[in-house]
Amino acid sequence: MAKSTVSTKRLSRQLIHWLLEEDRREKEGPYRKEEPHRQHSWWQVMCLTGVDYFSTLGYQPGIAALAAGALSPLATLILVLLTLFGALPIYRRIAAESPHGEGSIAMLERLLSWWQGKLLVLCLLGFVATDFIITITLSAADATAHIIENPLAPHLLDDQSIAITLLLIALLSTVFLRGFREAIGIAVFLVGVYLLLNFIVIGVGLYQILTHPGAIAQWQTALFARHSNPLVILGIAILLFPRLALGLSGFETGVTVMPLVEGSSNDTQEHPKGRIRNTRKLLTAAAVIMSFFLLTTSFITTLLIPAAEFASGGKANGRALAYLAHLYLGNGFGTIYDLSTISILWFAGASAMAGLLNIVPRYLPRYGMAPNWALLTRPLVLVYTAIAFVVTIIFRANVEAQGGAYATGVLVLITSAAFSVTLSAHHRRQKKGTLVFGIITVLFLYTTVVNIIERPEGIRIAAFFIGAIILTSLISRVWRSTELRAERIEIDDNAHQFIAEESQGAIRLIANRFNVGDVQEYFLKEKEVREDNHIPPNDPILFLEIMVSDASEFADVIKVKGVQVGNYRILRAESAAVPNAIAALLLYIRDQTGKIPHAYFGWVEGNPIQYLLRFILFGEGDIAVVTREVLRRAEKNPQKRPGIHVGG
């Protein structure tokens, strides 16, 4: 029994060690370092985004037919127009303003500072999580549909859609647990084969329509069955097109992968004009290609497939093009098509998982809103996999049922992108741009609201993710609030001279809240501190003033200036949090001079809870107490710890 307990403990330790194991060369320091990217031609990177964007053809035509019926081609045409004249101009501008892969969320972060910007980013991250998680589960569910409905598949798989979907997701997580690296070559192959096979199916479908004109007549009959007025039909199609919003996915990914796009030889880090130009080619080509496939596939599937086959349990449910491939080109070609579709859908899940693993380190650690394990790949993979399992079971691996949730994530991200571009144009005083992008924003907002009203499951899932992200972020922010939080300290020549002069004797710094900044202010402060702490009148002192810049930031570079007012010498700096900056500066002075500095504070009066909240939200509060705690955590040896004195 004792041996069994020891063996269990050993296995637990080995499992924890494996989960937390990371490449230390990539994980030095508190944040994940940006890795240098190997760059590729824009069309190759387009294929990497295409595994997500183009793979929606596996289920989009069927969902469109279910949502709009005979109006599906018209509703798809409106969607295409919104893609080419709405989403594409928005993201072409984002590519110019965010050329290093930050995307529209980072634009909003820059345009909306302080806590409102951070809170908006956290909410948008909830929709990003919705988008990517549903991409994983929806793609796996559609791959499962292609497996089960293949005529060569054994019948024992017929009622195992949930189990097969869970297995595909588990295989996906296994790839990432073992270590995943970008594979653009695979993406190029998968996208090339998949688009070629779809082009063949479209060609055969159009041939069948041309040789059987009765299909067009039947479609026209269905189209005018309820309304004979073309304008009324167009109006209904406009109302229905938000249900087809899945066809808009892929744009955010297109700007996120910008660091992979090869630019020109004269590109600079600040102005990579060649990369921007090539990314715009990527976005335009992807939008045009997808628009062609959306229109043609919607047309042939609506005209050639009986409406009953699109419904749940029908042979075209979640696999309309595969249905046509088997029907008109035989089971041999149909099986090849199924294998291609399964592969690209599975790889689309890999693209989404990679996006999830990159999104947390990009934002939350900078806010202090991620626990330490959130920087590690394997624990995150297990968390995302567990969430994907739960979503799959809730939706019973049903493609159409998950469409609303996916569309919600996609539409909110595109709407936020449109809003960020409108806001940017407004800040630049571009009246025409503000008007045009504002109209586009309203259109996407309408599409989003309609989608949420008709299919509220998406907003429920997003709300869960938003709540989870905000809750864990706030807990992490409080937990990490007493870290040093200084990336580095930079001091000017005056400050360096003041510290050098002070180091000839005892180093004493008086913490002062800047008010008027005149001689009288420093005279009174010095008199008060010397009396309260019994500092000899001949001992030199330095004043230390930290002004709060943006308290919503977590880590920053502390730039210290030396300022002289009369005979008083002041070290003045800005930081997101006063006590953390003081602690970092005291340790810096200790390391530079070899002497233990002493800092002097006055007592604060009032409710300690109120001061705690002030510290967390505004970077101030009971500064002396928090400074000492930051120093205690940063320097374990009390003999080497700077002295903190409180008087009054």
Side-chain angles (χ1 to χ4, degrees):
M1 186 71 177
K3 288 184 178 179
S4 176
T5 303
V6 172
S7 177
T8 302
K9 289 182 178 178
R10 184 181 302 165
L11 287 174
S12 298
R13 285 196 301 268
Q14 289 175 349
L15 176 61
I16 293 173
H17 180 269
W18 177 75
L19 281 174
L20 302 180
E21 183 183 19
E22 292 287 350
D23 186 343
R24 297 187 182 276
R25 290 172 299 178
E26 297 178 2
K27 304 295 176 185
E28 293 175 356
Y31 310 116
R32 184 184 300 236
K33 293 188 175 182
E34 291 292 329
E35 299 179 20
H37 296 284
R38 181 185 172 191
Q39 296 184 330
H40 306 265
S41 298
W42 65 266
W43 61 270
Q44 292 177 308
V45 182
M46 182 192 72
C47 292
L48 183 64
T49 67
V51 295
D52 176 17
Y53 195 19
F54 300 143
S55 67
T56 57
L57 291 171
Y59 44 82
Q60 168 73 10
I63 290 177
L66 267 178
L71 289 172
S72 175
L74 290 178
T76 301
L77 175 61
I78 295 169
L79 179 70
V80 165
L81 293 175
L82 189 59
T83 298
L84 296 178
F85 300 102
L88 181 57
I90 290 290
Y91 281 93
R92 283 174 63 90
R93 175 138 181 172
I94 290 175
E97 297 196 21
S98 182
H100 302 294
E102 303 95 331
S104 60
I105 295 179
M107 282 183 62
L108 283 174
E109 181 190 25
R110 291 193 298 267
L111 292 168
L112 300 173
S113 60
W114 210 63
W115 283 108
Q116 64 265 33
K118 302 295 187 296
L119 185 60
L120 179 60
V121 168
L122 292 179
C123 292
L124 290 177
L125 289 179
F127 288 104
V128 169
T130 303
D131 185 358
F132 286 149
I133 288 290
I134 299 298
T135 296
I136 294 171
T137 58
L138 181 64
S139 298
D142 195 48
T144 298
H146 284 79
I147 293 172
I148 292 175
E149 293 297 333
N150 187 285
L152 303 180
H155 291 292
L156 59 90
L157 299 179
D158 289 350
D159 299 320
Q160 303 299 321
S161 58
I162 296 177
I164 296 173
T165 302
L166 294 177
L167 177 61
L168 290 175
I169 295 172
L171 290 174
L172 179 68
S173 68
T174 302
V175 171
F176 282 89
L177 289 172
R178 292 182 60 85
F180 177 79
R181 293 293 180 267
E182 285 168 352
I184 286 187
I186 296 175
V188 171
F189 174 77
L190 289 177
V191 168
V193 171
Y194 185 66
L195 291 183
L196 176 62
L197 293 177
N198 275 289
F199 191 78
I200 293 172
V201 173
I202 289 168
V204 171
L206 292 174
Y207 173 78
Q208 292 295 326
I209 291 172
L210 290 174
T211 55
H212 299 84
I216 296 178
Q218 291 176 359
W219 175 59
Q220 289 176 331
T221 301
L223 197 62
F224 292 100
R226 293 186 178 180
H227 304 283
S228 58
N229 189 328
L231 292 178
V232 174
I233 293 174
L234 181 61
I236 296 173
I238 292 173
L239 293 175
L240 288 173
F241 93 88
R243 301 181 185 180
L244 282 61
L246 289 177
L248 287 166
S249 67
F251 281 100
E252 191 72 28
T253 308
V255 291
T256 303
V257 299
M258 281 189 71
L260 300 176
V261 178
E262 188 177 42
S264 57
S265 57
N266 58 353
D267 278 2
T268 63
Q269 183 69 12
E270 294 76 18
H271 303 288
K273 294 181 180 180
R275 179 195 293 174
I276 293 170
R277 181 173 59 253
N278 288 335
T279 301
R280 286 175 165 176
K281 292 179 183 177
L282 180 159
L283 294 169
T284 303
V288 170
I289 291 171
M290 191 61 174
S291 297
F292 166 78
F293 279 100
L294 283 173
L295 279 174
T296 51
T297 56
S298 174
F299 184 67
I300 65 170
T301 52
T302 302
L303 268 66
L304 296 176
I305 300 177
E309 297 293 351
F310 290 113
S312 181
K315 294 182 179 179
N317 181 254
R319 56 185 300 276
L321 293 174
Y323 175 91
L324 294 179
H326 283 275
L327 179 64
Y328 294 116
L329 293 166
N331 289 335
F333 181 89
T335 299
I336 294 173
Y337 183 89
D338 284 338
L339 291 174
S340 174
T341 305
I342 293 166
S343 299
I344 196 169
L345 286 168
W346 188 81
F347 208 72
S351 174
M353 180 68 83
L356 282 170
L357 293 174
N358 286 323
I359 204 73
V360 169
R362 176 167 285 182
Y363 291 100
L364 297 187
R366 289 194 292 108
Y367 301 166
M369 293 180 172
N372 290 332
W373 60 262
L375 291 168
L376 308 179
T377 298
R378 287 169 179 165
L380 276 182
V381 169
L382 293 180
V383 170
Y384 295 145
T385 301
I387 295 172
F389 276 10
V390 172
V391 171
T392 297
I393 293 170
I394 290 174
F395 286 104
R396 303 190 61 80
N398 186 291
V399 175
E400 198 273 333
Q402 297 178 72
Y406 185 31
T408 298
V410 170
L411 284 171
V412 170
L413 289 180
I414 294 181
T415 303
S416 70
F419 176 68
S420 67
V421 170
T422 304
L423 202 59
S424 174
H426 175 69
H427 282 193
R428 294 168 184 251
R429 302 183 184 278
Q430 299 171 344
K431 293 183 179 180
K432 183 179 178 181
T434 303
L435 177 62
V436 172
F437 291 126
I439 293 172
I440 295 174
T441 302
V442 170
L443 289 174
F444 279 119
L445 184 62
Y446 157 76
T447 308
T448 304
V449 171
V450 169
N451 183 270
I452 290 173
I453 292 173
E454 293 188 351
R455 311 184 74 174
E457 65 272 12
I459 199 67
R460 294 192 192 114
I461 293 177
F464 168 78
F465 284 124
I466 291 170
I469 288 172
I470 290 177
L471 179 62
T472 56
S473 296
L474 292 178
I475 292 172
S476 175
R477 179 78 181 220
V478 173
W479 186 261
R480 298 184 59 193
S481 62
T482 52
E483 293 180 8
L484 279 179
R485 296 166 56 173
E487 294 181 9
R488 66 180 184 276
I489 295 176
E490 299 176 355
I491 65 173
D492 67 5
D493 292 338
N494 284 342
H496 188 275
Q497 181 182 345
F498 293 166
I499 294 171
E501 292 172 354
E502 190 76 8
S503 66
Q504 300 304 312
I507 304 177
R508 305 182 191 276
L509 297 99
I510 297 176
N512 180 57
R513 181 192 293 271
F514 179 84
N515 188 10
V516 179
D518 59 6
V519 172
Q520 182 71 7
E521 177 181 342
Y522 298 110
F523 170 77
L524 294 175
K525 185 68 176 180
E526 179 186 14
K527 183 175 181 295
E528 175 190 344
V529 172
R530 285 189 186 274
E531 290 175 355
D532 291 341
N533 296 277
H534 307 290
I535 301 174
N538 295 326
D539 282 12
I541 54 96
L542 281 175
F543 283 93
L544 177 58
E545 296 176 342
I546 308 293
M547 270 74 79
V548 176
S549 50
D550 183 353
S552 66
E553 292 292 337
F554 188 74
D556 53 10
V557 177
I558 301 176
K559 297 181 178 181
V560 184
K561 297 187 297 181
V563 180
Q564 185 147 356
V565 178
N567 295 324
Y568 298 102
R569 299 168 301 166
I570 304 111
L571 300 179
R572 189 173 290 166
E574 288 188 357
S575 179
V578 174
N580 308 71
I582 292 175
L585 187 55
L586 290 174
L587 291 173
Y588 174 84
I589 292 173
R590 180 202 66 180
D591 295 338
Q592 293 297 312
T593 63
K595 290 190 173 184
I596 302 296
H598 295 262
Y600 297 86
F601 301 84
W603 285 108
V604 296
E605 296 180 358
N607 191 320
I609 303 298
Q610 180 182 353
Y611 281 111
L612 175 62
L613 293 176
R614 281 184 60 82
F615 167 61
I616 293 171
L617 295 176
F618 306 111
E620 296 181 300
D622 195 348
I623 295 173
V625 173
V626 180
T627 301
R628 200 228 175 239
E629 178 60 19
V630 174
L631 287 170
R632 188 190 67 81
R633 290 189 60 183
E635 177 53 73
K636 302 301 181 184
N637 187 348
Q639 304 301 320
K640 296 181 179 180
R641 197 178 294 156
I644 300 297
H645 306 268
V646 185

